[in-house]
Amino acid sequence: MAGVQPDVGEIGFVGLGHMGSAMAANLAASGRRVIAYVRRSDQIGRLEALGLRPTTDIGDLLDCKIVISMLPDDDAVREIVLGRGDIGLDGLAAGLMPGAIHLSMSTISTAAASLLASEHARNGQGYVAAPVFGNPDAAKARQLFIIAAGRSADVVRCQPILDNLGQRTFVVGADPQDANLVKLLGNMMSATALEMLGEVVAVVRKRGLDPQPFVDIMTATMFGGRAHKIYGDKIARQTYAPGFVLPLVLKDVRLALAEAEKAGVPMPSVGVVRDRLITGIARGYGDLDWTALALIAEEEAGLYTISSVNPD
């Protein structure tokens, strides 16, 4: 891999939500020229302010050597790659030049990743899966952890971009679907940790104690990982500001459970989280962060607290 030079020229970017906008802005701030595809023209001013070159024509991305996608689910990524004739949307697979790479940073199913990789390969293009661990604040600070998989030469070509977006990249193999499996299972570890944090904090609150010292003790002793420290503090403060919103968490939970079922592996604790998420969404908490699992636990305990949503 020595002597491989990073690609120059414009980078295409699809998926300019909170995460994607922060990532694309970091690329632009580092001197990269980024073409940002959006469907709505009312987003153009916002993207221009971030230093991007926005467009409502996906054809403007087709001369790029690397196109990044940061989209919410399987359907959205499939549509961008395969296109939709009924709305006149050409897909990346049919339009990108041979040798171009689709760098997919979305959290999607392994089946979708395999399908997209095959479609790009059929057109002589590369496909690298590189989902991330981290929230929009981490994206802004270039502190994402990236899980990458794809053909070795393609990963190397993408590495300078990944280095610009995150603090560390873990390459897990040549098959793109493996990166998505790691990401989904990692999210399940976080989700079940949040559920348990919510349950134990509910006990502490119902016994009339302040949960902050409890969380401080636990994170200083047996549970000092990032998930417990970051989210434990938010749960103690009842901060459920929108971040990783419940419908997107539920999407990942369902994908992970499908992967487990395909492998013949029960995941009963994840089933509990699925039911809690459905409950929260039914109660109108769909716009809240997944720390709202604690809010649901408190309501189930009869505490009926009012969420303290931080607008930041």
Side-chain angles (χ1 to χ4, degrees), residues 94-306:
L96 287 174
M97 68 183 79
I101 297 173
H102 175 195
L103 178 57
S104 174
M105 305 190 76
S106 308
T107 301
I108 57 176
S109 68
T110 61
S114 293
L115 170 66
L116 301 177
S118 296
E119 188 65 19
H120 281 297
R122 192 170 67 84
N123 288 277
Q125 302 145 2
Y127 179 83
V128 173
V132 304
F133 288 112
N135 58 24
D137 289 337
K140 290 177 184 177
R142 306 175 196 262
Q143 292 297 300
L144 299 171
F145 291 102
I146 301 170
I147 312 299
R151 197 171 67 95
S152 179
D154 293 338
V155 174
V156 170
R157 285 176 61 194
C158 294
Q159 193 63 60
I161 293 173
L162 301 178
D163 290 343
N164 189 276
L165 296 175
Q167 59 177 301
R168 185 173 177 184
T169 299
F170 299 85
V171 180
V172 296
D175 190 340
Q177 70 169 333
D178 292 347
N180 290 109
L181 181 61
V182 170
K183 175 58 165 62
L184 287 171
L185 296 179
N187 274 9
M188 295 312 97
M189 294 180 70
S190 295
T192 52
L194 288 175
E195 170 63 25
M196 182 49 66
L197 277 165
E199 292 178 13
V200 296
V201 166
V203 175
V204 172
R205 285 193 195 283
K206 199 154 188 186
R207 293 294 298 267
L209 301 176
D210 179 358
Q212 190 66 62
F214 170 81
V215 169
D216 292 343
I217 292 168
M218 292 299 105
T219 55
T221 55
M222 300 298 292
F223 300 96
R226 295 172 62 88
H228 288 90
K229 284 186 174 180
I230 293 170
Y231 295 115
D233 184 63
K234 289 183 177 182
I235 286 171
R237 292 186 287 108
Q238 296 179 293
T239 300
Y240 314 119
F244 191 13
V245 294
L246 298 192
L248 290 181
V249 183
L250 181 58
K251 178 264 297 184
D252 287 0
V253 164
R254 285 172 168 157
L255 290 178
L257 286 171
E259 297 289 348
E261 182 176 351
K262 186 166 59 176
V265 179
M267 296 185 80
S269 59
V270 178
V272 171
V273 173
R274 176 198 56 208
D275 292 346
R276 291 287 211 189
L277 292 167
I278 293 171
T279 298
I281 292 168
R283 290 179 181 175
Y285 301 149
D287 291 334
L288 298 184
D289 184 69
W290 58 347
T291 50
L293 284 165
L295 171 61
I296 300 161
E298 290 175 354
E299 289 184 341
E300 293 295 298
L303 291 168
Y304 302 108
T305 57
I306 299 174

Side-chain angles (χ1 to χ4, degrees), residues 32-75:
R32 293 279 189 168
R33 299 189 301 277
V34 181
I35 308 176
Y37 168 70
V38 286
R39 291 185 178 175
R40 295 181 5 230
S41 58
D42 63 353
Q43 296 294 307
I44 288 177
R46 175 180 71 87
L47 298 178
E48 286 178 335
L50 296 175
L52 312 177
R53 181 161 81 84
T55 180
T56 56
D57 181 0
I58 197 169
D60 290 338
L61 276 59
L62 299 182
D63 288 332
C64 296
K65 294 181 180 179
I66 295 178
V67 175
I68 301 170
S69 63
M70 189 63 176
L71 294 159
D73 54 36
D74 286 16
D75 289 343

